[in-house]
Amino acid sequence: MTSLTATFTVDLTPAEILTGAADCFDLVKAWSGALEGTSRGVMLTAGDPASGSASYVATELFEGSLDGREGTLVLQQLGTMTDGDPTLQYVIAPGSGTGALAGVTGALMIGTIDDDGHHEVTIELT
């Protein structure tokens, strides 16, 4: 297993809400570090975060390089919060890689988020 680090900033833009969703957002992330490039995607939320119970799903297409290899990857997230206890699954969608990223699989773990909105991420490639 290979462990890499990267950071991203995210810009969320409200999108048309789907029936049953609390909110819908278009997202754009600027990546640096082991992931260099941009990802674009969609996030749907449900529940009531103020009460401590909510969830979101997001899918994004990353274009750029991973550890110097060029191509695209799809990143998928599933975040849940139950009684204020959060969990997050953030994975590279199997079979989604193109170019030099074909066949790449793994998971991402979000660490610290600084005051400027930079998210630190550890990428575990399998």
Side-chain angles (χ1 to χ4, degrees):
M1 189 176 298
T2 301
S3 184
L4 305 167
T5 59
T7 61
F8 70 83
T9 57
V10 61
D11 181 30
L12 295 172
T13 305
E16 184 176 338
I17 295 176
L18 298 175
T19 302
D23 284 303
C24 182
F25 299 94
D26 294 323
L27 65 87
V28 177
K29 291 181 180 173
W31 292 86
S32 60
L35 274 173
E36 289 280 343
T38 303
S39 59
R40 300 179 192 293
V42 176
M43 174 189 284
L44 293 174
T45 68
D48 180 15
S51 75
S53 295
S55 68
Y56 78 92
V57 294
T59 299
E60 57 193 283
L61 175 65
F62 169 82
E63 297 180 86
S65 65
L66 171 61
D67 201 25
R69 296 182 289 168
E70 297 281 331
T72 65
L73 293 169
V74 172
L75 305 174
Q76 296 178 319
Q77 296 179 55
L78 169 61
T80 60
M81 181 172 53
T82 305
D83 297 327
D85 183 26
T87 61
L88 176 64
Q89 296 175 335
Y90 196 179
V91 300
I92 299 170
S96 68
T98 67
L101 300 179
V104 171
T105 59
L108 293 82
M109 283 70 63
I110 296 178
T112 59
I113 303 170
D114 70 18
D115 292 337
D116 292 329
H118 291 89
H119 296 65
E120 184 178 288
V121 177
T122 300
I123 305 153
E124 297 289 340
L125 299 177
T126 53

